[in-house]
Amino acid sequence: MDNELISELRGDGRATISHLAQRLKVSRATVQNRLDRLISSGAILGFTIRVNTLLLIVDSK
């Protein structure tokens, strides 16, 4: 299940615990516990954004 959780977060790092629980068909508590464990163990190092620099360049002109 950890791999599925990580896969979901790779697709949408801003997904809520509720959304993840629904997608993985488990309780919110299960997702929260797994996520906390993955973060505290160092398996998840952080959360980040991906930027489309082409859109930023066009928008700033």
Side-chain angles (χ1 to χ4, degrees), residues 26-47:
V26 296
S27 71
R28 290 179 309 197
T30 297
V31 171
Q32 187 66 63
N33 290 337
R34 296 276 185 140
L35 186 56
D36 290 344
R37 188 172 50 76
L38 288 166
I39 292 169
S40 67
S41 72
I44 293 178
L45 300 175
F47 298 86

